[in-house]
Amino acid sequence: MGGISANKPILPLITGPMMPGSYRGERLGACTDCRNNWGKYRAGQIDMEDISAINEELAPTIGTCGVMGTASTMACITAALGMMPLKGASVPAVSAARLRIAEETGKNAVAAALDKRTPQGILAKVNFLNAITVLQAIGGSTNAVVHLMAMINRHPDLYGKITLDDFDEIGRRTPMIVDLKPSGDNYMNDFNNAGGMIALLHTLRPLLGLEAMTITGQTLRQVLDATPFKTFPFSSQIIRPLEDPIYDNASLVVLRGNLALAGSIMKASASKNRDLLCHSGAAVVFENTTDLALRIDSPHLAVTPTSVLVLKNIGPIGNPGMPEAGMIPIPRKLASQGVTDMLRISDGRMSGTADGTIVLHVSPESAQVGSALGVVQNGDVISCNVEKRTLHLEVTDNEIKRRWDEKQAEPEDGLPKQRQTKRPITKRGYRQLYEQHVNQTHRGADLDFLTAEGLPSI
């Protein structure tokens, strides 16, 4: 984002993913296996000795998360944008190949500076469409949607020209072909050993805009022609052919309805219970993260496996800052019964390493006056249909307005702190600046005065 705004030559050089660990002969990696094993511990399926031993193996080397989390997703996307060496996206942090990638990056940096290759000059619409295609093919992090929208809207030639509709349209024609956790079974070192981004881009070649420029001064077509790849059995297990995908299409989907008028995101490929991809259930509502922490494991929580868990006030303004709190844990009373997934909805983010049937980035967020999410109540029926791309609160528009009128009129002084939803108005400092100027998630959750459009003239 900063590089696009400043429009100076930039070349990312990343750390690389960590290697997987092992516990009792089973490979482990941060942080998908961390979350899944913690879920087993909360359900009483493993004990403290197990979880302690597992914890020691989750991050056995330096590096970013060893699955297709946000760091690895953004590395793959940066390579797909044409801004870094293709091998740089997947080589493990502990590999000697990192030194060679650093040398290549330095060489490219000097050439880019001499030739004045700037982000705005390199990155066209086709580059971002290629990046979105890769995002769908790898089953990447939902965080990438926010990051890409923020980058796009910093670019003076692209502001407003790519929207969530493009993510969904590309998803419908792009199968998920990379078999990595959390949507698959393997790890980033497997992706690297299977050929990494070179193998992936050759496989996706029919779906890509090969005229896209890269930081090297070559087009993507020229880069791929100069790095031929011949597949082999292990490679085709990790990076599947287009005709034999892990998930037929749209690993990430955009859902809309009265509950998300401007859109919301779900990583459908990471659902643990595909029946929930078309589901209606009664809402169990948590007003904020404090409320969630205090009640989620209560034996008295009125919740069933068909309930829809709703967490408010973790959006850009509501928290503020939009934390990775959207992976609402399964209530302990249900986890102990073997429930591993439920439909969950929030206006926040979640880690790219997380899985489950989870709707995120609901826009407008619950802190926005008039948003349906802001007035969802316990017992309200919520319907989600991934095939139809809908997310609907079964409440009339008039009722939503009535609830907001009531909410704004009632004082909250008598409520417990965790149930209060109105925040004191910030009158100074960075927080005031942020709350006044951060835009909604479907636009990138960026400060409006930093976008290419900037502030309106006064």
Side-chain angles (χ1 to χ4, degrees):
M1 286 164 50
I4 293 173
S5 293
N7 201 30
K8 301 295 183 183
I10 57 167
L11 285 93
L13 179 62
I14 68 166
T15 302
M18 66 180 70
M19 297 292 288
S22 177
Y23 177 65
R24 294 183 176 177
E26 180 180 347
R27 290 197 301 170
L28 297 172
C31 203
T32 303
D33 296 324
C34 166
R35 299 174 195 283
N36 289 337
N37 281 289
W38 183 250
K40 291 178 181 179
Y41 174 71
R42 293 180 71 252
Q45 297 172 9
I46 58 177
D47 59 22
M48 179 58 74
E49 182 179 348
D50 289 320
I51 201 69
S52 297
I54 288 169
N55 189 54
E56 293 179 357
E57 288 293 318
L58 287 170
T61 72
I62 63 168
T64 57
C65 290
V67 298
M68 191 55 77
T70 302
S72 292
T73 296
M74 294 310 298
C76 293
I77 282 175
T78 303
L81 285 170
M83 297 301 290
M84 63 183 278
L86 295 182
K87 291 183 179 179
S90 61
V91 169
V94 295
S95 172
R98 278 283 150 208
L99 295 176
R100 295 190 289 274
I101 292 165
E103 291 173 353
E104 183 179 355
T105 301
K107 179 181 176 181
N108 289 342
V110 172
L114 291 174
D115 293 344
K116 295 182 172 57
R117 297 177 199 145
T118 62
Q120 291 180 22
I122 295 168
L123 296 174
K125 184 175 181 178
V126 65
N127 296 70
F128 284 99
L129 298 183
N130 285 345
I132 296 169
T133 300
V134 166
L135 172 63
Q136 293 284 11
I138 63 179
S141 170
T142 51
N143 287 324
V145 180
V146 185
H147 297 325
L148 281 168
M149 287 308 305
M151 287 189 278
I152 289 162
N153 287 327
R154 290 282 185 102
H155 197 307
D157 296 331
L158 298 179
Y159 178 88
K161 294 183 179 178
I162 297 176
T163 69
L164 293 186
D165 290 336
D166 294 288
F167 285 80
D168 199 65
E169 180 184 342
I170 289 172
R172 289 178 186 271
R173 62 174 185 262
T174 305
M176 192 193 99
I177 59 174
V178 176
D179 188 5
L180 263 61
K181 294 184 177 185
S183 294
D185 294 324
N186 298 289
Y187 298 86
M188 279 300 294
N189 69 307
D190 297 314
F191 178 60
N192 183 66
N193 292 338
M197 284 298 295
I198 293 174
L200 177 63
L201 293 181
H202 275 288
T203 304
L204 292 174
R205 190 167 180 145
L207 303 178
L208 298 172
L210 300 177
E211 71 276 17
M213 289 300 300
T214 72
I215 192 68
T216 65
Q218 297 177 301
T219 64
L220 178 59
R221 176 181 283 106
Q222 291 171 319
V223 170
L224 293 180
D225 287 347
T227 53
F229 182 80
K230 185 177 181 180
T231 191
F232 50 93
F234 179 76
S235 176
S236 59
Q237 291 174 25
I238 304 299
I239 304 170
R240 299 278 193 89
L242 291 175
E243 61 273 13
D244 183 28
I246 305 295
Y247 196 76
D248 287 341
N249 59 66
S251 59
L252 277 69
V253 298
V254 178
L255 304 175
R256 285 192 172 90
N258 70 343
L259 194 53
L261 292 174
S264 61
I265 303 295
M266 177 198 285
K267 189 191 290 188
S269 60
S271 171
K272 291 182 177 181
N273 180 355
R274 298 298 165 86
D275 290 340
L276 294 173
L277 298 179
C278 181
H279 178 72
S280 293
V284 176
V285 180
F286 302 93
E287 296 295 339
N288 48 49
T289 53
T290 302
D291 187 23
L292 175 72
L294 289 174
R295 295 196 296 126
I296 190 66
D297 286 339
S298 169
H300 306 297
L301 184 67
V303 64
T304 72
T306 62
S307 298
V308 178
L309 304 182
V310 177
L311 176 57
K312 302 179 186 177
N313 291 301
I314 59 168
I317 298 172
N319 193 261
M322 202 180 179
E324 286 189 344
M327 187 185 174
I328 306 168
I330 302 298
R332 189 184 294 271
K333 65 188 289 185
L334 297 181
S336 63
Q337 298 170 19
V339 176
T340 59
D341 199 5
M342 298 174 69
L343 180 59
R344 289 160 275 179
I345 300 171
S346 78
D347 47 10
R349 300 182 300 117
M350 78 174 183
S351 167
T353 66
D355 53 12
T357 311
I358 304 175
V359 179
L360 303 153
H361 309 181
V362 170
S363 185
E365 64 175 296
S366 57
Q368 291 276 80
V369 175
S371 75
L373 184 62
V375 289
V376 176
Q377 296 178 357
N378 287 320
D380 286 345
V381 174
I382 295 175
S383 298
C384 173
N385 189 316
V386 167
E387 184 177 352
K388 294 181 178 179
R389 302 295 197 267
T390 56
L391 184 67
H392 197 75
L393 175 66
E394 304 296 341
V395 169
T396 66
D397 291 345
N398 286 338
E399 174 62 11
I400 291 171
K401 182 180 184 303
R402 186 198 67 77
R403 290 181 185 182
W404 266 106
D405 290 343
E406 183 179 89
K407 180 176 180 177
Q408 291 179 293
E410 290 183 355
E412 293 188 314
D413 296 342
L415 291 176
K417 183 177 180 180
Q418 71 270 18
R419 302 294 293 172
Q420 293 182 10
T421 60
K422 295 179 183 176
R423 294 174 295 103
I425 297 173
T426 307
K427 296 183 178 179
R428 64 184 300 276
Y430 179 77
R431 181 162 174 171
Q432 182 200 38
L433 180 75
Y434 176 86
E435 291 182 359
Q436 286 182 345
H437 292 285
V438 68
N439 56 30
Q440 287 294 283
T441 314
H442 66 284
R443 293 195 173 105
D446 194 9
L447 297 173
D448 56 10
F449 56 81
L450 293 179
T451 67
E453 183 185 49
L455 293 176
S457 300
I458 299 176

